[in-house]
Structure formats: C-alpha cells, structure tokens
Amino acid sequence: MNLNDKENLEKITLVATNVKTLALDSITNANSGHPGIVLSAANILTVLFQNHLRIDPNNLNMFNRDRFVMAAGHGSALLYSLMVCYGYSSLSVNDLRKFRQLISLTPGHPESHLTDGVDYSTGPLGQGSAASVGMAIAESHLAKLFNQDISNLIDHYTYCFISDGCFEEGGNYEALSIATKYQLNKLIFLYDSNHMQLDGTVISNTITNTKQYFESLGLNYIYVENGDDFKAIDDAINLAKASIDKPSIIEFNTILGKGSVYENTNKSHGTVLSNEQLLSYKNKIEWKFPEFTLLQSVIQITQEFKERGKAWSDEFNKNLNLLYKKDPYTFETLNKNILMDFNFNYDNLKEIINLLNLKQDHSTRELSGLVLQTVLQDNPSFMITNPDLSSSTKIKKAKDGNYEKWHEEFCNIQVGVREFVAMGIINGMVAHKGLKGITSAFLCFSDYNKAALRVASISHLPTITFYSHDSIGVGEDGPTHQPIEQIASLRLIPNTNVFRPCNIDEMISAIKLATIEKNKPSVIITSRQEFKNYYSENLNDIDKGAYVFEDDAKIQIILIATGSEITTAMEVKKIIQEQVDIGIRIVSMPCCEIFDEQDENYKAKIFPINKKYIFSIELGSTMTWYKYADHAFGIDEFGLSAKADDLYKHFNFTSFNIAKKIIKILNKIVSDFAKLKETL
C-alpha cells in the first residue's frame, strides 16, 4: 500500500483504529490487560502487517514465512487484534471476547503452543530478543544449506517488537550483541519508545542515550520522531530491510495510552479502562460501532496482506517442487527438517564403546562429547551455542567450524560468557523449526539460563542442554561452582526431561532420547571428575527412565542412584553384604520424568510394593527423592573448597559412611529384619 496516497492513508488509519478498538474491547471485557501499549504501538504494527509481513493467514505454518516475535508480550491483546483484522485462520472476534479466560486461544501473554500463528511464547521481558536472534541465525544457516539451486527457497525476515521493559533487561543487551556480531541483517527490531513503564517514567530508571547505545553495539539505528506517522513508519521499515550487513533497530517515539484518560502516564501501562472510559475514548475518535466490531471495510483493506501471503506461500511450494525435481535427496532432507525429524548417526557408537577401556575411570562429560561427536557427525541440522565453556563441557562439533557471516553453514555459535542468551537463542532456533538447538554450561550456572529453559518447557520446544561439573566432585573451585540444589530445581520444571547418566550405555540412551524428542526440552547432566564406570547387563529397559542395574535373587532393600553415585551404590552394596546376609537391588534412575510416565506394572516391577526399604544416593539436594525412597542420602548444604576426596569425607558421603548409616537404619526396623550386628 502506497502511503503517499491520501486515500490509502485513510484506509490504514481505519484499520489501525479498528485494531485499537478490538484490543481495548478485549481488555475491558476481561477487566485485565495492558491498554497503554495498544494505543502507543498499534500504528507501528498495522504498517508492518499491511505492507511488509509475509505470512499466509490460511497457511500459518508455511516454513518460509516471515517470523514475528511480540517480545513485549504484555501487548498480547494488540497482537490478537491484529491477527483477527488480518484474517488469521486461527482466531476470530469470538476469541477476543475470551481474552484471558480459561482455556482460550487468547491467553494473557502470547503462547506459541496454544495459538497457531504466534511464533514464540513471550512475557518474560528480554527473552523475545534472544529468540529472534535464534530465528534469524536459523534462517541464514538453513538458507546456506538449502538454497544451493534455488536462491530464495529459504528467504525471510525476522521482526521483533520490543518495549522499554525489554530494552532494560540484560538479556536484551546480550541478544543485540550477538545479532550484530553475526551481522544478521534480516533481523529487525521495532522499539516502542513510549518513555513510560509500570512504576513511573523510563528516565527514572535509566539515562541511556539510545542512539549512542544502539550504534555502539553496531546496529543499524533508525529513529522515527512521530511513531504514529504511517508514512514515516513505512519508510523506516523499508530502510531497515535494505540493510546489507547489520541488524536494524527502529526507535519509534510514541505516547503510552495516547487518547485515553491515562495518556502519557505510567497508569496507562496496566490500568484497564472502565466501560465509561472506553466509551469516552471511542467518542473522541468518533468510533460509533458496538463493541467487538470488525468492519467489513477493514476486511477488504487487509485483503492485500492475505494476497501477499498467499503468493509467498505459493512461491515456496513452487520452489519445493523445483527442488524435488532437481535434487530429491535435498528435498527429502528439508522436509524432514521442517517436521523436526532428523537423521542421526548411531552406526559408529559400538566402535566408540570398543575404543573405550571399560575398566578405566571416565567422566561423563568426556563420554557425552564422544557420543555427541559421533551422533552429529556430518549433520548440519544441529547448531550449538557455546557460552565460552565448550572446552570444559566437551559440547562442540569438533570437526566443524564456527558460524560466521561468511561461514553460515557451520554449526558452532560462539556467544561469549552469556549463558542466558545461549539458551534463548536455541529456543528461537527450535521455535523457527528446521534445526535442533544445543547448548551447555556448568550445572551451577543453570540458574543463569533457567528462565529461558522454563519458556522452552512451557512452549514444548525440544532443545538440548548439557550441564557438566555436577557435584562437589568439582573440588577446589568451591561452593560457587559446586551445585547442590540445581538438579532438584531442574526436576521441578514441568515438561522437561532431566538425565544424569552413569556410563556410556546410559549416555547413548540419553542423547538418543533427547535427539528424537519433539515436545519438551532435554537436560543432560554430566560429571567433571572421573569415576569407575560400572556396567549393567540389563539394558532392555534402559530407555524407561529407571531400570534394575544389578539384582540379587532375594530383594530386601533397594538402592537408587544416578550418575557417579551408581559407583557409590555398588560399593555400598559390597560393604553391607560383606557384613550382613541381605539381598540388595540397585536401581539406576537416569531420568525420573521418563520413569514417571511408565505404567504401574513397570513401576511395580522396579519397586515392588512390598519392599519399603528404599534408599536413594545422589550428590545433591535430597528434596525430590522422597517420592521414591524412604531414606535419601545427599547434600543439603553448600559445599567447600577442597579436594574432592576430602569433601566426600567431610560431608560423610563415602561408601563406608553410607553403608554404616543404612545398617543403623535397618537395626531400628526389627519387624522385617533380624537384629543386624553393627560391625562397621
């Protein structure tokens, strides 16, 4: 739409007005929401949708569509209103009436797993920016892989709408830094600079010179003095799209809550307009229609968006057909990638096992690196963000180079010491689809990226995260680097699989299950320290989360363990049975969440209901273990700086001490056991 034309300006004004009224109707009807951003930003996003965004509203998952991330997720009512006005097949006016209501398609913040057409779940400010970077990297990487014969097969923009709140979050700075480092010129940030936030003015919190700030990061900075001016908005977006080697950020100077009773005050951020106040606003703009009116004339005007999206979708399908004729193998690979159905190389894993001297001590981080290198060999569909830790976590594609603007086919992405953005970026990659995203960090630093992991869990994004240095076995680095509560806190996140393998067999199982997972993130926890790797002959049930690692003919007590503590459990069993004639089963539980999904028969097979004497052994918080065990051996206080062996002794976490405590406990239980002599 040519916005130099007066008639077209009148048309887009009408659309933007209808967008605003529908969004405000939704908020007032729900008596919940954020009206200020609707009135400050509706013109910006109406121009984006009307003239630029390439999305087929009747084919919302078309792979080569432009991606739009509403990073300022509190503006959800505005997004839903835009989607309705522009004919998204997933929403109707009736859905706007259900805004923020139970089991609706219009929740309080955009949720990609609930609402088709929402590209990313947002709400936690700053994360949308990181996800947008991941999407832009995914576009460039996939274009490099698949555009060999057809130059525009994968060719789209990523738009990210941010607010002052996003701008103030540290994760946003991290994301912008990575965007400029990799020259993601098809990434465009739209910044609603309305100078207000929940508790007051922006200037009360920051005195940043935004122009100098953004330009110092290397962004293509564009400023629009009047963020309501449709023509200026359109010109700015066109300038951003013309950038060759820089991501762009357009700062729109706007007024929060413009035209409402709370105009240009912090109250406008989250104060719902009453029915009377909303009517007053509508009278001011001469809107005479009933609530939740979508004008037929607006539907006609937005037909241009639908036609552009349909043409873009047809072009992609045409290119796919062309690819099929030219290169059926690449066609099949791309289709599998789109469906997140990747090929993995497990053929050489037996060779790895044979190369390992199974009698030696190994750290599980070493094993994770060996397995991952084999599984991902020559597979460019897995990208790895490295927060300056791959030499320690061992998670890197060793035979691959680093992703750069001039090497977009490579899979290792260096992000520096930025654990949070590393997770946010792989979230965006996976949300984009076509790639699997992997990152790694020390377990104690999982707290840095846990907020992004939580969004992945909510959104059903099958990311993979490796956390190494998993216990006080880290030793001299001390309490700040010795995780205690982290494993338990990760297990408390719904819809997340947390693996802690004890040997090469369990590592292969964990990585296999993580790579084929399609609906939830996977976390794989590994040790820095080497320990004796015991092996089980009972591998049929290894993928079920827990299995019998070693058994006796008559089971009287059960020891559950994970990771390096399988070694401890084996030693505890030996010590006890040297003193007492008692049957002991050892259960390895590499993934509690997968075990919990098994049927009751399998659970009873592992933990017979008549066996009450179950002990868990894990070097960390005991909190989550009482679900399975009567007694839990762990560490519920922060560590110390010392050699690992000295720490185990200090915290009484040696095989000898645990065996001694178990015998003491059993001595108190005389109903099922003859009095045991305490000989230890």
Side-chain angles (χ1 to χ4, degrees):
M1 179 183 285
N2 182 357
L3 296 181
N4 286 312
D5 183 86
K6 182 180 178 182
E7 183 181 351
N8 284 339
L9 281 174
E10 290 175 353
K11 288 180 179 179
I12 201 165
T13 299
L14 181 63
V15 176
T17 301
N18 205 165
V19 167
K20 292 172 189 175
T21 57
L22 282 171
L24 292 176
D25 285 341
S26 302
I27 294 167
T28 297
N29 182 65
N31 195 28
S32 179
H34 300 79
I37 196 171
V38 171
L39 297 173
S40 67
N43 286 12
I44 300 166
L45 296 186
T46 299
V47 172
L48 176 70
F49 275 64
Q50 185 69 36
N51 274 7
H52 301 279
L53 204 61
R54 298 172 299 184
I55 293 175
D56 183 353
N58 291 311
N59 186 11
L60 291 170
N61 294 313
M62 192 274 286
F63 190 65
N64 196 35
R65 70 188 184 279
D66 288 340
R67 302 312 196 265
F68 175 69
V69 176
M70 189 84 173
H74 59 280
S76 59
L78 173 56
L79 176 59
Y80 302 144
S81 180
L82 284 158
M83 292 169 69
V84 168
C85 287
Y86 281 89
Y88 278 54
S89 57
S90 56
L91 291 182
S92 67
V93 170
N94 193 47
D95 291 305
L96 300 183
R97 294 179 184 274
K98 299 175 183 178
F99 178 58
R100 289 183 168 235
Q101 305 306 305
L102 182 66
I103 313 177
S104 79
L105 296 175
T106 49
H109 289 80
E111 305 287 358
S112 59
H113 66 292
L114 294 178
T115 312
D116 205 12
V118 171
D119 283 324
Y120 195 72
S121 296
T122 53
L125 296 178
Q127 288 202 47
S129 304
S132 299
V133 171
M135 291 178 179
I137 290 174
E139 189 273 344
S140 70
H141 181 70
L142 290 166
K144 189 73 171 182
L145 296 182
F146 294 106
N147 287 8
Q148 302 300 318
D149 295 319
I150 305 165
S151 61
N152 64 337
L153 178 65
I154 296 171
D155 175 22
H156 62 77
Y157 287 92
T158 300
Y159 297 94
C160 180
F161 178 81
I162 67 172
S163 66
D164 291 301
C166 301
F167 167 56
E168 291 169 7
E169 281 285 359
N172 192 69
Y173 163 77
E174 295 181 26
L176 295 178
S177 300
I178 299 305
T180 54
K181 169 178 166 50
Y182 293 117
Q183 302 176 43
L184 301 173
N185 62 299
K186 292 169 80 174
L187 173 59
I188 298 173
F189 293 94
L190 309 169
Y191 171 28
D192 177 31
S193 180
N194 57 54
H195 317 291
M196 290 288 167
Q197 49 199 93
L198 180 61
D199 284 347
T201 61
V202 170
I203 202 169
S204 68
N205 299 310
T206 180
I207 56 171
T208 303
N209 182 313
T210 51
K211 181 178 187 297
Q212 292 179 359
Y213 174 78
F214 292 131
E215 288 182 342
S216 72
L217 288 173
L219 288 155
N220 175 35
Y221 173 76
I222 302 166
Y223 181 71
V224 177
E225 175 62 35
N226 181 0
D228 274 341
D229 185 329
F230 295 108
K231 178 65 167 57
I233 295 166
D234 192 45
D235 289 344
I237 296 174
N238 279 321
L239 272 176
K241 288 164 69 176
S243 177
I244 297 172
D245 59 357
K246 292 181 179 181
S248 298
I249 188 161
I250 310 171
E251 181 176 1
F252 297 97
N253 182 42
T254 63
I255 298 172
L256 190 70
K258 185 176 181 180
S260 75
V261 65
Y262 300 117
E263 177 181 311
N264 205 31
T265 68
N266 62 302
K267 287 195 72 175
S268 184
H269 173 78
T271 303
V272 176
L273 298 178
S274 68
N275 289 318
E276 294 76 16
Q277 290 168 336
L278 179 54
L279 182 60
S280 173
Y281 169 77
K282 289 180 178 179
N283 287 335
K284 185 185 293 186
I285 62 172
E286 299 183 349
W287 185 265
K288 306 299 183 184
F289 306 98
E291 65 175 6
F292 291 105
T293 293
L294 172 59
L295 295 178
Q296 188 63 37
S297 53
V298 166
I299 294 173
Q300 292 171 353
I301 295 166
T302 59
Q303 186 65 29
E304 184 178 322
F305 168 83
K306 300 167 196 169
E307 291 171 356
R308 183 175 67 244
K310 175 68 163 55
W312 191 241
S313 184
D314 289 345
E315 178 75 9
F316 180 63
N317 289 330
K318 175 184 170 184
N319 285 335
L320 278 181
N321 289 331
L322 197 59
L323 179 64
Y324 175 73
K325 293 175 182 176
K326 287 186 173 184
D327 188 346
Y329 176 79
T330 300
F331 170 83
E332 183 181 357
T333 302
L334 175 58
N335 272 312
K336 284 187 174 183
N337 278 35
I338 292 171
L339 296 171
M340 304 295 280
D341 183 13
F342 303 106
N343 293 318
F344 311 114
N345 183 359
Y346 291 107
D347 296 337
N348 296 328
L349 288 178
K350 289 182 180 178
E351 184 179 337
I352 284 183
I353 295 173
N354 292 334
L355 287 173
L356 287 170
N357 181 348
L358 299 186
K359 295 181 180 179
Q360 282 187 342
D361 295 351
H362 297 286
S363 66
T364 46
R365 68 167 175 169
E366 175 190 359
L367 300 180
S368 69
L370 288 170
V371 175
L372 198 67
Q373 292 305 323
T374 302
V375 170
L376 303 189
Q377 189 174 351
D378 301 322
N379 191 330
S381 300
F382 288 74
M383 297 196 80
I384 300 174
T385 57
N386 169 33
D388 200 45
L389 287 171
S390 66
S391 59
S392 287
T393 62
K394 308 304 180 186
I395 303 304
K396 186 176 182 179
K397 291 188 75 172
K399 295 182 180 179
D400 200 10
N402 290 335
Y403 171 90
E404 298 285 356
K405 181 68 174 179
W406 52 91
H407 273 306
E408 293 170 322
E409 73 277 16
F410 290 152
C411 298
N412 295 308
I413 305 168
Q414 304 297 109
V415 301
V417 186
R418 298 183 175 102
E419 290 93 347
F420 186 24
V421 80
M423 186 76 214
I425 287 173
I426 67 167
N427 282 356
M429 288 177 191
V430 175
H432 178 280
K433 294 194 185 305
L435 293 174
K436 197 88 163 180
I438 300 172
T439 192
S440 67
F442 291 177
L443 180 57
C444 58
F445 300 149
S446 63
D447 293 321
Y448 281 87
N449 64 22
K450 201 172 290 172
L453 175 61
R454 183 175 185 272
V455 169
S457 303
I458 291 171
S459 307
H460 300 266
L461 299 176
T463 57
I464 303 175
T465 306
F466 288 84
Y467 292 126
S468 71
H469 295 54
D470 66 352
S471 71
I472 60 169
V474 170
E476 292 88 342
D477 280 333
T480 61
H481 280 54
Q482 294 170 3
I484 299 298
E485 76 283 13
Q486 278 82 359
I487 299 178
S489 66
L490 289 165
R491 288 180 178 142
L492 292 175
I493 302 174
N495 197 49
T496 302
N497 286 336
V498 180
F499 298 89
R500 191 166 181 247
C502 76
N503 59 27
I504 189 70
D505 295 324
E506 290 189 9
M507 185 62 68
I508 291 170
S509 170
I511 291 177
K512 178 186 72 176
L513 293 172
T515 51
I516 64 175
E517 177 60 56
K518 292 187 178 182
N519 294 304
K520 63 180 69 171
S522 297
V523 170
I524 300 176
I525 295 172
T526 65
S527 71
R528 185 187 75 168
Q529 78 277 14
E530 295 180 345
F531 59 91
K532 184 175 181 180
N533 292 174
Y534 285 93
Y535 290 84
S536 174
E537 295 180 0
N538 306 319
L539 298 181
N540 290 338
D541 296 325
I542 195 170
D543 291 346
K544 293 184 178 179
Y547 65 105
V548 176
F549 192 85
E550 184 170 289
D551 217 1
D552 288 337
K554 181 181 179 183
I555 311 165
Q556 292 172 285
I557 66 171
I558 298 174
L559 307 180
I560 317 171
T562 72
S564 54
E565 284 71 78
I566 281 290
T567 299
T568 307
M570 294 289 283
E571 292 170 353
V572 167
K573 177 180 178 180
K574 181 180 179 183
I575 293 168
I576 292 176
Q577 290 183 333
E578 284 175 351
Q579 306 298 322
V580 180
D581 182 16
I582 188 171
I584 300 176
R585 165 179 286 182
I586 293 179
V587 171
S588 179
M589 190 176 276
C591 185
C592 303
E593 297 78 17
I594 290 178
F595 175 72
D596 290 344
E597 293 173 353
Q598 304 306 312
D599 61 40
E600 294 305 315
N601 288 335
Y602 182 75
K603 291 177 183 178
K605 172 185 169 185
I606 302 302
F607 300 117
I609 56 175
N610 62 333
K611 302 301 176 189
K612 296 186 289 185
Y613 309 109
I614 302 176
F615 303 85
S616 68
I617 305 173
E618 186 176 67
L619 270 169
S621 170
T622 59
M623 178 179 292
T624 59
W625 282 110
Y626 293 103
K627 181 177 183 178
Y628 313 102
D630 305 294
H631 304 276
F633 294 102
I635 297 179
D636 291 310
E637 59 183 292
F638 292 117
L640 295 166
S641 178
K643 294 185 184 303
D645 288 344
D646 293 337
L647 288 169
Y648 297 144
K649 292 173 185 175
H650 175 83
F651 289 106
N652 293 318
F653 204 94
T654 65
S655 303
F656 180 86
N657 279 320
I658 292 172
K660 185 175 181 180
K661 288 178 182 178
I662 289 175
I663 286 181
K664 278 187 177 180
I665 291 168
L666 295 178
N667 271 330
K668 294 178 181 178
I669 306 168
V670 295
S671 58
D672 292 342
F673 296 95
K675 189 71 174 175
L676 301 173
K677 292 183 179 180
E678 190 174 325
T679 57
L680 294 179

